[in-house]
Amino acid sequence: MAQPLFTGTKFYPSRKIEIKPWNSKNNNKTTETQKLIDLNFIPIIIGLTVFAVHGQMRELPKDFDILSIEEKWQKKWMELEVYRFHREDKEKPPFVIDTPPPYPSGDFHMGNVLNWTYFDIVARFKRMCGYNVLFPQGWDCHGLPTEVETEEKYGIKKTDVPPAEFRKLCESFVRKYIDLMKKAIIRLGCSIDWRLEYQTMDPDYWKKTQLSFIILYDKGYIYRGTHPVNWCPRCSTAIADAEVEYESREGRLHYIRFRMKGGGSIPIATTRPELIPACVAVAVHPDDERYSEYVGGTVEVPLVGREVPIIEDEAVDPDFGTGAVMICTYGDKDDVKIVAKHGLPVIMILDEEGRLNEKAGKYKGLTVQEARKAIVEDLRSEGYLEKVESLRQEVGVCWRCKTPVEILERTQWFMKTRVLTERVEQEAYKIAWYPDHMRNRLIDWAKSLNWDWVISRQRVFATPIPIWYCAKCGEVILAKPEWLPIDPKLEKPKIDKCPKCGSTEFKPETSVLDTWFDSSITCAVHAGWPDKEDWRRFFPADVHPSGADIIRTWAYYLMVRHLALFDEKPFKACLINGMVLGTDGRKMSKSLGNYIATDEVFGKYGADATRQWAAGGGATGSDIPFRWADVEYGRRFLRKLWNAARFISINLKDFDPEVEVDVEPIDRWMLSKLERVKLKVTEALNNYQFNIAVEALRGFIWHVLCDQYIEAVKYRLYNPEVYGEESRRAAQKTLYDVLYTSIQLLAPICPHITEEIYEALFKEHKGYVSIHVSPWPKPDRERIDEEAEREGDLTIAVINAFRREKAGHRIPLNVKVDEATVYASSDWEAETVERNLEVIKGTCKIERIEVYRSEGQGREVEGYPNVKVALKV
């Protein structure tokens, strides 16, 4: 039968033609419906409508090689450009995903699989819902690990070669790792538009980062100052508060006597005896009566001989140690606050490599650990040390190398972020969070910050700060936007002389920008800022995916940067994923020995099974355990689906989907169940509840479609001469519609197998270039037939009871039984069974069934205690 097959797409491979629908205003306009006509069958053009001779449905092969299927479609999707974002399309509403640009470590781990599966499901779902999906992929290239690896490989220090040369060596590492990770993302089946790929180490991205610096500088958000900063001695750079992690470690509490002038002493307790040379005061709590008489006096610092004041401050915990503490510059952030509050002097005894300097006297050159050992020994030998106790303490460490962080006073570049705290909280409540409580992590973090964001780093492989200084007067020379991108270490400012003193000599800023300064403008960059005039159409991003562990970094920095730059929140919704746990229940990590490589999982089970693990492993935002059994279950589900689709393809070879048929009661039951699962899955995906969606679909396909409905219609498919051709057509029609809708619903989660089934069984009739651009099956509550479901549920329950009864009598299911009985004590149950005797008999292969409206002996029907079945054998 001929049928219309028009409306075109903008892209086709060879042997595909494009059909453009007539439009009186613009007959060159192509729709985004993305249908095609395949030249493998003959188009017959009549007027402006294209018809095709409908052929038989292809039979799926028995062999099911999911790995080959996935490889095939990953290549074809790239060729077809199925996932292309059309910036010029103003008919479809845009949906923008602020895809995380990962650090290119070369290792796309199971945590990444979880993350990318989440937002790829979102991209695919929204694309099918009619959105013009902007799904880019970038790479957050800069970072210390690459510098360290480069130094190790070439046996050099970054200071041994010119910065530009060292940068090129770093870039070669990054490109190699990007290639590895890109292959893994493609292997997972992500529907990214790779035309939009970018790397933060490229000069074009520098330009954007540097431009944002200039704008914020001109707005007064960026300043240079000498302040205490978190410092990593291993990385030799300042780091932000968000880059400090806290670990519980075993420490020692030292009780040390500070002698007072005129006799007596005050015992203090400290975990940092190595900082005694930097002690500038002893502090006690104002309400601590033990020391109130000493406040205002002085004590002598042991081993140093310097007198320091005894002060009172509410920050001191009277229950910790002796209740008296030494204030050093700097042991922790409390020291910083107290020093500033009381106007105490600053004595910096640590250098940038974590060694004591000349201000530490004879301890100069020692590491922190060496100095601690030496000073404790001297305190003991000179009678100052009373005792030492063990204690568990929270130690601030660098999030990259886990080295304990020191606080040094250094000249750095900062961004004013604390002034935005109130605005961050306000905007956080305008954002939808999944799960909702994750909003509090952002707000609590913003409120906890005591310092502005230190944005400068003492590294090489990073975006240059576009600043020079006049060699004579020190005037800051800020680059102009038209100079960008620029590296001050390689180029001079494009001015003739210093605007302040007229000098022609300039010094470049040698520090570089924090890596987060690059990645904290992604929402605007993805939208097209600053190059596209219409970038505001795609901003804020519709969803920002983030890990629970980086809300304080990426989500926070995105928020403050976009608020400061554009006075607008960066995203409308925030989708949070948790950690992946190893088989031992701990966070998956190579160091813990519970690491599973993605190549191993993909190679054994493929992407679609792995995606099911990610989607179904737990509630959004929760930690997800990795279990091989979960991935194996996913593969078994794919085999079940394939077998069902193959069965349908065999039994629908002569089926014409255009023929109208009257469905039977069990068909209406099936279609109502389908409508219900459409509603549940659509609602779940709209709310980012991936586990609910995947479990609803697997339960429906595996049990309702395969175990129940297909078994209940086989007799109609196999015996049309007995039950009628119309009955067979009704079963075919139901199977056709249910399978097509089922693979549409499953497509965002399992894109490969659904595409394979679609191409083989439905593409010729439906006409879409890919199932992933077919329209999402819109649920309709009015199509849910409560009475049909109620009646069908009982019918299926009776069928299951008879099948169990046959198994109990060791009668094969395909062996006919002459006679059986159903006892139903209620009128409705008895009448329902009577109305559906044909399907019960046909499915269970029973020649004759007697229905009695009374109680009787037999197997109870599950869920219906008033109904029993019995075989007469």
Side-chain angles (χ1 to χ4, degrees):
M1 179 179 178
Q3 69 235 351
L5 257 176
F6 80 98
T7 66
T9 177
K10 295 183 179 178
F11 42 92
Y12 291 112
S14 60
R15 297 190 58 75
K16 300 292 185 291
I17 62 173
E18 177 184 5
I19 305 298
K20 298 181 178 181
W22 178 261
N23 183 306
S24 60
K25 294 182 179 179
N26 180 7
N27 61 8
N28 290 318
K29 188 174 184 179
T30 302
T31 69
E32 296 297 326
T33 314
Q34 293 182 307
K35 289 193 170 185
L36 62 80
I37 292 178
D38 193 325
L39 294 183
N40 289 323
F41 59 91
I42 302 172
I44 305 169
I45 303 177
I46 304 175
L48 292 174
T49 306
V50 177
F51 288 80
V53 179
H54 182 76
Q56 289 187 335
M57 179 178 284
R58 282 168 45 195
E59 179 182 325
L60 286 181
K62 185 176 182 179
D63 292 336
F64 172 57
D65 184 353
I66 187 61
L67 300 184
S68 296
I69 289 171
E70 290 176 352
E71 182 180 5
K72 162 190 167 182
W73 283 110
Q74 286 155 16
K75 291 178 180 177
K76 289 191 74 171
W77 288 332
M78 298 279 273
E79 293 169 2
L80 292 169
E81 293 188 320
V82 171
Y83 309 122
R84 186 185 183 105
F85 167 68
H86 297 278
R87 187 176 197 93
E88 69 283 358
D89 185 352
K90 296 185 179 179
E91 293 183 1
K92 285 186 177 182
F95 188 89
V96 181
I97 298 173
D98 183 34
T99 319
Y103 176 74
S105 64
D107 179 21
F108 193 77
H109 51 74
M110 293 308 294
N112 295 133
V113 169
L114 176 67
N115 306 354
W116 264 256
T117 297
Y118 274 12
F119 42 86
D120 186 57
I121 290 173
V122 174
R124 292 179 178 279
F125 171 61
K126 293 297 182 180
R127 198 176 285 114
M128 292 177 73
C129 286
Y131 288 89
N132 183 20
V133 175
L134 172 53
F135 190 11
Q137 183 62 66
W139 305 97
D140 193 8
C141 303
H142 295 131
L144 181 73
T146 299
E147 291 190 359
V148 172
E149 189 168 356
T150 301
E151 290 176 332
E152 291 175 350
K153 178 176 175 62
Y154 294 100
I156 59 173
K157 289 289 185 182
K158 59 189 173 187
T159 53
D160 294 343
V161 295
E165 183 178 335
F166 185 77
R167 181 180 180 88
K168 287 181 180 179
L169 295 175
C170 291
E171 288 174 352
S172 66
F173 270 108
V174 169
R175 290 194 177 94
K176 177 182 70 174
Y177 291 147
I178 285 175
D179 288 342
L180 293 173
M181 294 183 74
K182 182 175 179 178
K183 287 177 183 177
I185 292 175
I186 293 171
R187 181 68 187 86
L188 182 60
C190 292
S191 58
I192 287 164
D193 184 349
W194 289 102
R195 298 175 308 113
L196 307 177
E197 184 180 9
Y198 63 91
Q199 300 173 5
T200 60
M201 67 181 182
D202 289 344
D204 184 62
Y205 197 95
W206 281 16
K207 178 181 179 180
K208 299 174 175 64
T209 303
Q210 291 180 326
L211 178 60
S212 71
F213 179 94
I214 292 170
I215 293 171
L216 292 179
Y217 185 97
D218 288 340
K219 285 188 170 187
Y221 280 102
I222 287 180
Y223 64 94
R224 186 172 182 252
T226 302
H227 300 284
V229 295
N230 299 307
W231 189 272
C232 176
R234 166 64 183 80
C235 302
S236 296
T237 185
I239 60 175
D241 280 352
E243 296 171 293
V244 179
E245 294 181 345
Y246 289 88
E247 295 183 354
S248 179
R249 295 188 177 184
E250 188 71 26
R252 291 184 176 275
L253 186 61
H254 303 78
Y255 291 78
I256 304 168
R257 287 205 166 271
F258 277 54
R259 294 167 184 167
M260 293 186 293
K261 194 173 183 179
S265 63
I266 291 181
I268 67 99
T270 180
T271 59
R272 302 290 308 269
E274 69 274 13
L275 294 182
I276 276 181
C279 178
V280 294
V282 167
V284 298
H285 193 276
D287 298 332
D288 193 337
E289 296 179 357
R290 293 174 294 177
Y291 306 111
S292 58
E293 62 180 290
Y294 304 123
V295 173
T298 61
V299 291
E300 183 181 278
V301 179
L303 307 180
V304 178
R306 182 175 60 250
E307 286 193 13
V308 297
I310 303 171
I311 62 176
E312 56 184 13
D313 196 284
E314 292 180 351
V316 178
D317 180 1
D319 297 324
F320 176 79
T322 64
V325 296
M326 66 174 185
I327 305 303
C328 303
T329 51
Y330 294 98
D332 57 24
K333 284 191 174 182
D334 284 337
D335 284 348
V336 175
K337 294 176 185 176
I338 292 173
V339 167
K341 178 180 177 181
H342 295 272
L344 298 171
V346 175
I347 303 173
M348 297 304 304
I349 65 167
L350 289 177
D351 65 18
E352 294 177 353
E353 294 183 354
R355 293 183 178 273
L356 276 65
N357 60 27
E358 65 280 354
K359 293 181 181 179
K362 69 175 185 177
Y363 306 109
K364 177 185 176 182
L366 299 182
T367 66
V368 167
Q369 293 297 330
E370 292 168 344
R372 181 177 301 170
K373 183 178 180 180
I375 288 175
V376 168
E377 185 58 39
D378 287 348
L379 289 170
R380 181 178 285 111
S381 63
E382 295 191 26
Y384 291 107
L385 185 65
E386 287 190 344
K387 61 179 180 177
V388 179
E389 295 178 344
S390 296
L391 85 163
R392 297 297 296 180
Q393 61 181 140
E394 294 294 307
V395 178
V397 299
C398 172
W399 75 322
R400 290 289 189 192
C401 66
K402 308 306 178 186
T403 301
V405 169
E406 300 293 348
I407 298 177
L408 305 185
E409 196 167 78
R410 290 293 183 271
T411 300
Q412 300 287 340
W413 285 93
F414 298 83
M415 176 181 169
K416 294 179 182 177
T417 53
R418 290 178 299 164
V419 296
L420 294 166
T421 299
E422 185 176 342
R423 183 76 187 280
V424 168
E425 181 175 12
Q426 292 171 354
E427 296 299 325
Y429 281 102
K430 298 176 184 178
I431 294 168
W433 293 77
Y434 302 93
D436 188 68
H437 69 269
M438 288 293 178
R439 172 189 296 107
N440 297 327
R441 290 201 180 190
L442 177 68
I443 295 172
D444 291 346
W445 173 253
K447 288 183 174 181
S448 74
L449 294 173
N450 298 308
W451 300 348
D452 284 332
W453 176 15
V454 54
I455 60 173
S456 50
R457 297 290 183 271
Q458 288 61 56
R459 296 202 297 258
V460 174
F461 188 48
T463 300
I465 297 176
I467 291 286
W468 299 260
Y469 306 96
C470 174
K472 183 177 181 182
C473 70
E475 177 75 359
V476 172
I477 310 297
L478 177 68
K480 301 293 184 183
E482 57 269 23
W483 300 357
L484 308 179
I486 195 166
D487 186 347
K489 295 186 291 295
L490 301 178
E491 297 183 61
K492 292 183 178 181
K494 300 180 188 301
I495 56 175
D496 296 329
K497 59 184 179 180
C498 172
K500 185 175 181 180
C501 72
S503 172
T504 58
E505 296 295 322
F506 304 97
K507 296 188 297 182
E509 172 59 74
T510 56
S511 294
V512 293
L513 288 167
D514 180 7
T515 300
W516 289 110
F517 207 78
D518 292 339
S519 58
S520 58
I521 54 172
T522 54
C523 293
V525 170
H526 293 161
W529 178 85
D531 305 316
K532 304 293 185 181
E533 292 183 2
D534 65 343
W535 72 272
R536 286 276 185 176
R537 280 208 304 131
F538 308 100
F539 177 83
D542 289 276
V543 65
H544 163 68
S546 184
D549 57 327
I550 58 171
I551 290 175
R552 68 179 192 168
T553 49
W554 196 31
Y556 175 73
Y557 290 144
L558 281 169
M559 184 70 83
V560 293
R561 290 265 275 143
H562 286 83
L563 288 176
L565 284 165
F566 311 115
D567 195 29
E568 175 66 276
K569 63 182 182 295
F571 44 85
K572 303 171 188 174
C574 190
L575 171 61
I576 302 296
N577 63 268
M579 297 284 190
V580 171
L581 307 179
T583 53
D584 58 0
R586 297 181 295 173
K587 177 184 174 182
M588 187 177 284
S589 168
K590 289 181 179 179
S591 63
L592 295 176
N594 61 0
Y595 181 84
I596 304 294
T598 53
D599 286 347
E600 182 181 359
V601 183
F602 288 158
K604 189 173 183 180
Y605 293 106
D608 280 359
T610 308
R611 289 168 67 104
Q612 289 177 70
W613 158 77
T620 304
S622 64
D623 291 342
I624 306 297
F626 178 82
R627 292 184 287 256
W628 284 107
D630 292 343
V631 190
E632 168 63 28
Y633 181 81
R635 184 175 66 174
R636 286 193 288 117
F637 168 73
L638 297 177
R639 166 57 74 178
K640 186 77 172 181
L641 173 61
W642 183 265
N643 288 344
R646 182 170 186 270
F647 171 85
I648 292 170
S649 72
I650 292 171
N651 286 279
L652 269 66
K653 284 184 178 179
D654 62 343
F655 172 66
D656 184 348
E658 297 301 310
V659 174
E660 295 294 329
V661 295
D662 293 326
V663 295
E664 298 184 5
I666 199 67
D667 305 328
R668 287 196 293 273
W669 169 83
M670 182 73 245
L671 293 170
S672 185
K673 292 286 188 183
L674 175 66
E675 204 60 42
R676 199 176 290 278
V677 81
K678 280 166 58 177
L679 189 66
K680 188 169 187 176
V681 171
T682 303
E683 185 177 281
L685 292 182
N686 272 322
N687 291 311
Y688 303 107
Q689 295 172 319
F690 310 112
N691 60 320
I692 292 176
V694 72
E695 289 311 315
L697 277 168
R698 291 199 294 200
F700 173 78
I701 293 171
W702 197 311
H703 302 298
V704 180
L705 173 59
C706 297
D707 294 349
Q708 297 172 359
Y709 181 73
I710 287 179
E711 294 301 320
V713 298
K714 281 181 177 178
Y715 76 99
R716 292 158 61 189
L717 296 170
Y718 297 164
N719 305 289
E721 70 284 355
V722 176
Y723 299 101
E725 189 61 34
E726 285 299 312
S727 178
R728 177 169 173 266
R729 293 295 183 196
Q732 287 180 319
K733 173 66 172 173
T734 304
L735 285 170
Y736 180 89
D737 289 343
V738 171
L739 179 60
Y740 178 59
T741 301
S742 295
I743 63 171
Q744 281 188 297
L745 295 172
L746 186 63
I749 300 164
C750 300
H752 305 90
I753 190 173
T754 52
E755 188 78 284
E756 183 75 5
I757 294 172
Y758 170 78
E759 184 193 46
L761 309 187
F762 299 102
K763 183 176 179 180
E764 182 176 310
H765 174 244
K766 298 296 183 181
Y768 298 100
V769 69
S770 164
I771 193 172
H772 300 296
V773 294
S774 67
W776 183 257
K778 185 178 180 181
D780 185 350
R781 290 182 183 274
E782 293 185 2
R783 289 202 290 262
I784 295 177
D785 190 333
E786 301 282 358
E787 186 55 37
E789 286 193 41
R790 185 172 177 232
E791 189 165 310
D793 288 344
L794 175 56
T795 302
I796 293 296
V798 170
I799 289 172
N800 290 339
F802 271 128
R803 291 164 73 92
R804 285 193 293 270
E805 185 73 355
K806 290 180 80 172
H809 287 284
R810 297 182 181 276
I811 301 173
L813 296 178
N814 62 351
V815 172
K816 284 189 176 181
V817 173
D818 291 332
E819 192 172 351
T821 304
V822 176
Y823 298 97
S825 58
S826 79
D827 289 344
W828 178 83
E829 289 167 333
E831 291 168 0
T832 298
V833 172
E834 288 171 346
R835 281 194 300 271
N836 291 276
L837 277 180
E838 203 69 55
V839 66
I840 297 170
K841 291 191 298 180
T843 304
C844 299
K845 291 183 168 49
I846 301 172
E847 192 70 28
R848 186 172 62 259
I849 298 177
E850 295 288 342
V851 180
Y852 294 96
R853 301 191 184 195
S854 62
E855 296 182 359
Q857 297 298 315
R859 180 182 294 273
E860 183 178 299
V861 175
E862 187 175 351
Y864 300 88
N866 296 325
V867 183
K868 295 181 175 61
V869 302
L871 296 174
K872 292 186 178 181
V873 294

